[in-house]
Amino acid sequence: MNVAKEAERLFRSEHRLVCTRTDRLFAILMSLQWPAAVAAALLISSRTWVGGTSSVHPHLIAAVYLGGLITVPPVLLAFFRPGERYTRHIIAACQMLMSGLLIHVSGGRIETHFHVFGSLAFLAFYLDWEVLATATLVTLVDHLAMGYYLPASIFGTATASHWRLLEHVLWVVFFDIFLITSCVQGLKWLHAVARREADQELLLYQAYHDALTGLGNRLQIQKLMGELLMPGSKEPRPFALMAIDLDRFKEVNDTLGHQVGDELLRQVSQRLMAQIRKNDTLVRMGGDEFALVLDGCTSARVAESIAGRMVESLNKPFSLGDHTARIGASIGICLHLDEGQDATDLFHHADLALYKVKNSGRNSFMVFDENMRAETLHQMSMEHRLRSAVLENQMHLHYQPIVSTEGRLLGFEALLRWNDAVHGDVSPVDFIPLAEKTGLIIPLGAWVLQQACSQAAQWHRTGNKLMKMSVNVSSIQLAHKDFVTTVLTALKETGLPAELLDLELTESALIQQHDSSYESLHLLRRFGVKLSIDDFGTGYSSLSYLRDLPVHTLKIDRAFVKDIEISPESRTLVEGMIDMAHTLHLRVVAEGVENRKQMEILVEAGCDEIQGFHISKAVPADDARRFINVSHGEPEIKAMAGAAKVRGLAEVLAR
């Protein structure tokens, strides 16, 4: 907002208002002066002294016709073109001609000369010295002409001294000096008032608008919501509230800098404004959060249509100087169709819908319903309980055996378990994504790594020469700057040889973090740590990544194994994966093996290692120790271990 321009606009607006009012005043005044001129012609002209003869009729004609000609145009302009510059100049000229007419029809009586000064004083109401100049010029021309050709009309005598004429002129000019000075002072005062109002409007604008985008801000939408929800209204006013949050904005802002981020926010606001209606209100709540009020919206379909257009618009690439960025938007929608809800409730409901969208993959929109409240409360409770569990070490590890196709125990995969006092046994499928979202995966992952290495080192020191302890690693852990340090610290503190640690990373995590993690993975490999691709086949399989990344093992996801005995297509896929891995000199582990038939097919296909319920579920450390004893115990125990490839270790141990 430009204060100088706003002050000038306010000044012109206020001055126009002053001129409009003065136009109307003169319209009334001139409407009264016309009959006054006719009355003067009737009552005064018959007694004027011009050679003792009466001149009533010529003056009356002049009063009627000339007075009408002088009066009608300015009156019409005052009502149909008020405030215009030409209107006030025409009014000024006609008003001074009316003064001259009154002097003329009265035979130059001294009283009517004061009408000139009164007219000039009234014209000063315009606060426009140019109007006074026009009036003065008309008066001087009228006096000069009438004084030269009809001196009796001006001075009441057939002849007049030139000094008398000059005296009249000087009096008008002298009076003008004071009036023009007063006008200039009035204009200065009006400018000062306009400037103060502009400053006040600027402060008000800044209070209710966002400086970066020019949109309204949190205060503006709170004020609007207060008006929409004003108590005592006869009928509830329907509207919809949207909570809009940009996806991936933080990555753009952190990577390309705050200036680029600011430009991105400006372009986002422009795109959003292009999708809404004239009576809708879009505001920036702060950061990358926006809110939208759809006034008069009575249907979820209308709100969803607008939200869909906004999401689609923000999915298109943004041109940011030398860079191009792609983001998205998540939108939560809440409808207000009846009474009983306040602004806090509506914002909360819109945020709940937004929260649901973000947890469902983002880049979409949802309308609030009551089921979301229960789900969100459960999610918030889960988050709170998870945070407490991580900080207070309330979780524990189970270990699932990994065996060779000959039945030899090779190692274990450490799997995190959480038994909560409120929610009971919580599946990793539920709490691991929550830990990643909240950032708790960093301390949680470090604890898992420490505990798994400690347990493996303890078994190793007692003479049980396992080949590996597998630990799952999140993509967020992999991207963390202290990831390598965390791994090496765990190995050093627990005394576990690096070659016994096998870090399992999902295929998508490896590819997403390829550039940033490439050096870290190679460094860990040089220290002897083994690396495996977990859930292979469910991500973005690529031979080039398998060739370049320092991996040691592929773990075929259970989704491919579960149908291998009944689906020729699944069997062909698994065989192809095994052949490809062996071509790249990688070992293959099949996950989710649940029965003997699956195991036999995998053995026949050349799979190197087996993991799944057919061998054993994940068990506590004490039970895992029994598997180690089976694998490394007396000959009869070893014979039992060899039978595991047929019946499963769990079945053998049960005997």
Side-chain angles (χ1 to χ4, degrees):
M1 181 179 179
N2 190 308
V3 177
K5 290 183 178 180
E6 181 63 16
E8 182 64 22
R9 185 192 67 80
L10 289 172
F11 166 75
R12 292 184 182 278
S13 176
E14 191 64 30
H15 188 238
R16 184 182 180 87
L17 182 60
V18 169
C19 292
T20 298
R21 291 172 178 171
T22 307
D23 288 342
R24 302 287 168 77
L25 174 65
F26 270 102
I28 297 172
L29 182 63
M30 296 190 76
S31 298
L32 296 175
Q33 288 177 133
W34 184 14
V38 175
L42 287 170
L43 300 176
I44 299 176
S45 296
S46 58
R47 297 192 298 271
T48 55
W49 56 94
V50 184
T53 61
S54 175
S55 57
V56 173
H57 297 296
H59 285 177
L60 181 59
I61 293 172
V64 173
Y65 291 104
L66 289 178
L69 185 62
I70 292 171
T71 301
V72 173
V75 170
L76 292 175
L77 287 173
F79 283 98
F80 292 103
R81 291 292 184 269
E84 298 293 342
R85 186 169 180 267
Y86 60 82
T87 298
R88 56 181 176 268
H89 280 274
I90 291 174
I91 287 176
C94 291
Q95 177 61 31
M96 300 317 295
L97 290 175
M98 179 61 75
S99 295
L101 179 62
L102 287 171
I103 294 172
H104 173 68
V105 299
S106 66
R109 294 185 62 144
I110 189 65
E111 297 90 341
T112 55
H113 285 268
F114 288 104
H115 192 277
V116 173
F117 299 109
S119 297
L120 290 172
F122 272 102
L123 289 171
F125 290 174
Y126 280 114
L127 297 180
D128 187 348
W129 66 269
E130 294 179 351
V131 170
L132 292 173
T134 297
T136 300
L137 180 61
V138 171
T139 301
L140 294 180
V141 171
D142 179 70
H143 271 54
L144 285 173
M146 298 296 287
Y148 184 80
Y149 293 105
L150 297 170
S153 298
I154 300 298
F155 306 114
T157 179
T159 60
S161 169
H162 292 295
W163 293 107
R164 180 77 179 273
L165 181 64
L166 182 61
E167 179 185 355
H168 276 252
V169 172
L170 290 176
W171 272 110
V172 172
V173 173
F174 179 74
F175 192 60
D176 273 347
I177 292 173
F178 290 97
L179 293 177
I180 290 174
T181 302
S182 176
C183 285
V184 171
Q185 293 300 321
L187 289 174
K188 288 183 178 179
W189 173 82
L190 200 59
H191 270 293
V193 171
R195 181 68 187 214
R196 285 196 299 271
E197 290 183 1
D199 290 337
Q200 292 174 356
E201 288 194 10
L202 175 62
L203 293 176
L204 194 63
Y205 180 88
Q206 291 174 339
Y208 286 95
H209 287 79
D210 174 55
L212 178 63
T213 62
L215 300 176
N217 59 12
R218 187 183 297 270
L219 285 177
Q220 185 184 95
I221 199 170
Q222 289 175 347
K223 178 182 177 183
L224 175 61
M225 294 285 283
E227 295 172 355
L228 293 173
L229 299 171
M230 184 177 298
S233 57
K234 295 182 179 179
E235 295 183 0
R237 190 170 171 183
F239 64 89
L241 174 66
M242 292 188 187
I244 307 169
D245 193 84
L246 302 183
D247 302 330
R248 299 184 298 279
F249 171 78
K250 186 177 184 300
E251 289 84 343
V252 175
N253 198 48
D254 293 344
T255 304
L256 303 181
H258 294 292
Q259 290 185 345
V260 175
D262 289 346
E263 175 60 24
L264 177 57
L265 287 174
R266 283 190 285 266
Q267 292 189 26
V268 166
S269 65
Q270 292 170 3
R271 290 195 186 183
L272 293 178
M273 285 295 295
Q275 304 303 322
I276 65 177
R277 306 168 303 179
K278 290 184 179 180
N279 59 330
D280 299 334
T281 302
L282 177 68
V283 303
R284 181 185 175 215
M285 302 292 283
D288 60 350
E289 299 176 2
F290 296 80
L292 174 64
V293 173
L294 302 177
D295 194 8
C297 180
T298 59
S299 168
R301 183 176 299 177
V302 174
E304 289 175 333
S305 175
I306 294 175
R309 293 202 305 267
M310 291 193 292
V311 170
E312 182 180 358
S313 173
L314 296 183
N315 278 334
K316 298 176 182 178
F318 289 84
S319 178
L320 305 169
D322 296 333
H323 306 281
T324 299
R326 286 184 177 273
I327 61 172
S330 301
I331 302 177
I333 305 171
C334 174
L335 295 178
H336 176 265
L337 302 178
D338 51 21
E339 297 180 351
Q341 295 175 308
D342 59 19
T344 303
D345 291 335
L346 293 172
F347 276 113
H348 179 57
H349 293 168
D351 286 338
L352 289 179
L354 174 62
Y355 187 81
K356 179 73 173 179
V357 174
K358 285 186 167 293
N359 285 340
S360 301
R362 304 188 177 191
N363 201 39
S364 186
F365 55 87
M366 286 188 182
V367 179
F368 170 80
D369 60 51
E370 287 299 328
N371 293 331
M372 289 183 182
R373 189 196 302 274
E375 293 178 7
T376 305
L377 289 176
H378 175 75
Q379 194 77 3
M380 293 174 64
S381 174
M382 284 280 290
E383 182 176 335
H384 173 72
R385 300 293 301 174
L386 177 62
R387 192 175 298 276
S388 299
V390 172
L391 296 179
E392 299 172 11
N393 294 329
Q394 296 177 357
M395 295 188 174
H396 56 278
L397 294 181
H398 281 191
Y399 301 90
Q400 186 171 33
I402 302 174
V403 302
S404 68
T405 52
E406 292 80 20
R408 184 166 58 92
L409 180 65
L410 302 177
F412 294 92
E413 179 180 355
L415 298 174
L416 188 60
R417 295 292 183 263
W418 179 27
N419 182 268
D420 183 62
V422 175
H423 301 288
D425 287 326
V426 184
S427 171
V429 175
D430 296 325
F431 71 79
I432 291 298
L434 185 58
E436 292 179 332
K437 176 187 173 183
T438 58
L440 292 172
I441 193 66
I442 299 300
L444 182 59
W447 179 85
V448 169
L449 189 63
Q450 186 79 18
Q451 293 298 312
C453 289
S454 176
Q455 184 63 71
Q458 179 182 345
W459 288 333
H460 183 70
R461 285 192 294 270
T462 58
N464 299 308
K465 306 301 181 181
L466 296 175
M467 293 183 62
K468 63 180 176 180
M469 171 63 77
S470 296
V471 179
N472 291 285
V473 175
S474 164
S475 61
I476 297 176
Q477 291 176 267
L478 182 60
H480 196 267
K481 60 183 179 65
D482 295 328
F483 173 65
V484 174
T485 303
T486 301
V487 174
L488 297 180
T489 299
L491 292 173
K492 181 178 180 181
E493 291 180 352
T494 60
L496 180 69
E499 61 271 14
L500 297 186
L501 178 61
D502 187 358
L503 299 180
E504 296 188 5
L505 305 105
T506 63
E507 187 178 4
S508 57
L510 284 170
I511 294 174
Q512 289 172 10
Q513 307 294 339
H514 180 264
D515 293 336
S516 60
S517 63
Y518 191 85
E519 184 177 349
S520 299
L521 294 177
H522 276 279
L523 180 60
L524 289 173
R525 185 64 183 269
R526 286 198 295 270
F527 274 97
V529 176
K530 295 178 181 178
L531 303 171
S532 298
I533 294 182
D534 195 14
D535 300 335
F536 181 73
T538 61
Y540 307 91
S541 304
S542 171
L543 291 176
S544 63
Y545 282 111
L546 294 177
R547 179 195 62 199
D548 298 336
L549 290 172
V551 296
H552 175 269
T553 304
L554 294 186
K555 300 190 72 174
I556 300 176
D557 187 71
R558 66 184 69 248
F560 297 98
V561 175
K562 67 178 183 178
D563 296 329
I564 194 173
E565 55 189 317
I566 59 175
S567 171
E569 292 81 5
S570 296
R571 182 169 182 170
T572 301
L573 283 174
V574 170
E575 291 173 347
M577 292 179 189
I578 294 173
D579 290 341
M580 178 189 67
H582 288 164
T583 301
L584 296 172
H585 309 292
L586 301 176
R587 292 184 63 81
V588 180
V589 180
E591 295 182 297
V593 180
E594 298 183 353
N595 56 58
R596 177 180 176 180
K597 183 64 175 178
Q598 291 175 347
M599 183 172 179
E600 290 176 347
I601 294 173
L602 290 167
V603 171
E604 184 179 348
C607 186
D608 301 302
E609 302 172 17
I610 303 296
Q611 180 181 352
F613 281 7
H614 181 59
I615 306 301
S616 172
K617 66 178 182 179
V619 296
D622 291 341
D623 292 339
R625 178 64 181 268
R626 298 181 63 196
F627 286 108
I628 297 174
N629 292 336
V630 168
S631 178
H632 299 287
E634 298 299 323
E636 61 271 18
I637 298 180
K638 292 183 179 181
M640 292 170 61
K645 67 179 180 180
V646 178
R647 291 179 304 217
L649 278 174
E651 181 184 346
V652 173
L653 288 173
R655 294 174 55 195

